[in-house]
Amino acid sequence: MMKIDSTTVQLVLAIAEEGSISRAADRLQLAVAAASRRLSDLEQQLGARLFKRQPHGVRATEPGLKLLAHIRQIGNLVERLEADAQALGRGRDGRIIIGAPKSAILQFLATDIAVTQRRYPHITLQVMEENSRIVQQLLRDKVIDIGIFEKTSGFVDLPRSDYRKDSLVLVYSRRHFSFAVEPVMLDQLLDCPIVSLGRGSAILAALRRAHRSRGRVFRNDFAVSGFDTMLALVREGLGVGLMPPGVLRSFHPEPDLGWATLEGDWHERSYVLSFIEGQAQEQALRNVVAALLQGERAI
């Protein structure tokens, strides 16, 4: 029977991230010799080498990459157990982890969580901000309990409930671009340089679909990880951006930043909520799901 403790799990994950046994050992405050011995013992139990030693560090082997996926799940479960135990030790009814993209958090979820927390003060709520695709991966891997993501990006085979809707507007620098009062046509937008959120984002997926509808390929010269970075590039006239108006307002834009509506419905979006049972306390999870889904009706 294989024996593996939480320290060894954390060590293997740290080695994979650092690409070095010594750096991983330093991170976990272990002696390098002890860390190396732990890794060797685990590899012997598994009957496979997880990492190939190189002159300047290590890299995961082919079997190691496959086994690391399982070890990450163990790591997530250990972390979950420790955090849930702390919550229960403080007299709370458990902990619920919610994953969502920044656009949903800024526009709706922050308010909904505040209302839910006041309704259920003994439930610990935690938020993880990720794009729609990663939110679903975290949900599938049981890292989070509730996932909110853009509907068209959905790929997890879980029940979904409608959560909220928003739409994108075009954001631009008045010093570098000029747009009429009427909605901007799609072909006009596609002729502009566009600053987009990067891989896995619902905005990037929408832009790619829009380009394909016109037989064009989106070059994606300016891919950023956040709306704040998008606005920085837009301010300099490097391109125009797309974001929900609620997100734009949260940045308190200066007069030099303008925005325009878009023609058609390709820029309209729907968010859905999915959850997975088995990790969190069942009644706590159902209470939080119900409260979040009631949020829109309470506005």
Side-chain angles (χ1 to χ4, degrees), residues 169-180:
V169 296
L170 184 152
V171 184
Y172 63 97
S173 166
R174 298 183 192 276
R175 294 183 293 113
H176 300 89
F177 293 91
S178 177
F179 294 95

Side-chain angles (χ1 to χ4, degrees), residues 105-175:
I105 295 172
L106 290 176
Q107 296 182 96
F108 329 113
L109 187 58
T111 299
D112 289 348
I113 286 177
V115 171
T116 303
Q117 191 73 87
R118 288 193 293 269
R119 185 178 301 176
Y120 300 107
H122 293 296
I123 300 176
T124 298
L125 300 179
Q126 181 178 336
V127 180
M128 295 182 67
E129 178 198 319
E130 296 289 354
N131 66 47
S132 289
R133 188 165 189 83
I134 293 179
V135 164
Q136 293 173 84
Q137 291 171 354
L138 295 174
L139 194 62
R140 179 194 60 197
D141 295 341
K142 299 184 178 181
V143 176
I144 61 177
D145 305 299
I146 299 172
I148 293 169
F149 50 91
E150 206 275 323
K151 190 173 185 177
T152 59
S153 68
F155 65 84
V156 290
D157 186 20
L158 290 170
R160 305 175 190 176
S161 299
D162 291 334
Y163 177 57
R164 296 294 184 85
K165 294 182 179 181
D166 72 6
S167 60
L168 301 174
V169 296
L170 184 152
V171 184
Y172 63 97
S173 166
R174 298 183 192 276
R175 294 183 293 113

Side-chain angles (χ1 to χ4, degrees), residues 61-271:
T61 62
E62 194 66 35
L65 289 172
K66 295 177 181 178
L67 291 170
L68 276 168
H70 298 295
I71 293 172
R72 284 193 181 93
Q73 288 187 323
I74 295 172
N76 292 331
L77 289 172
V78 170
E79 183 181 336
R80 180 68 191 247
L81 175 63
E82 292 173 345
D84 285 354
Q86 290 175 5
L88 292 168
R90 295 196 300 269
R92 293 183 171 270
D93 297 330
R95 184 178 65 124
I96 305 298
I97 306 175
I98 307 165
K102 178 175 284 188
S103 54
I105 295 172
L106 290 176
Q107 296 182 96
F108 329 113
L109 187 58
T111 299
D112 289 348
I113 286 177
V115 171
T116 303
Q117 191 73 87
R118 288 193 293 269
R119 185 178 301 176
Y120 300 107
H122 293 296
I123 300 176
T124 298
L125 300 179
Q126 181 178 336
V127 180
M128 295 182 67
E129 178 198 319
E130 296 289 354
N131 66 47
S132 289
R133 188 165 189 83
I134 293 179
V135 164
Q136 293 173 84
Q137 291 171 354
L138 295 174
L139 194 62
R140 179 194 60 197
D141 295 341
K142 299 184 178 181
V143 176
I144 61 177
D145 305 299
I146 299 172
I148 293 169
F149 50 91
E150 206 275 323
K151 190 173 185 177
T152 59
S153 68
F155 65 84
V156 290
D157 186 20
L158 290 170
R160 305 175 190 176
S161 299
D162 291 334
Y163 177 57
R164 296 294 184 85
K165 294 182 179 181
D166 72 6
S167 60
L168 301 174
V169 296
L170 184 152
V171 184
Y172 63 97
S173 166
R174 298 183 192 276
R175 294 183 293 113
H176 300 89
F177 293 91
S178 177
F179 294 95
V181 176
E182 57 269 15
V184 176
M185 294 185 295
L186 179 57
D187 289 323
Q188 184 182 2
L189 169 67
L190 300 189
D191 286 337
C192 297
I194 301 174
V195 181
S196 173
L197 295 183
R199 184 179 178 183
S201 74
I203 288 179
L204 177 59
L207 279 169
R208 285 175 171 164
R209 289 195 299 270
H211 278 75
R212 283 198 300 270
S213 73
R214 294 295 192 269
R216 302 170 67 166
V217 176
F218 182 43
R219 289 180 52 186
N220 200 22
D221 290 332
F222 298 108
V224 298
S225 61
F227 290 112
D228 50 350
T229 311
M230 179 188 293
L231 286 179
L233 297 180
V234 168
R235 285 187 181 97
E236 298 302 322
L238 294 171
V240 299
L242 294 175
M243 65 178 65
V247 172
L248 178 61
R249 286 193 297 271
S250 73
F251 286 102
H252 307 289
E254 62 273 21
D256 278 350
L257 281 177
W259 65 274
T261 57
L262 297 164
E263 184 186 50
D265 59 5
W266 68 271
H267 54 89
E268 296 175 355
R269 311 190 303 171
S270 296
Y271 293 93

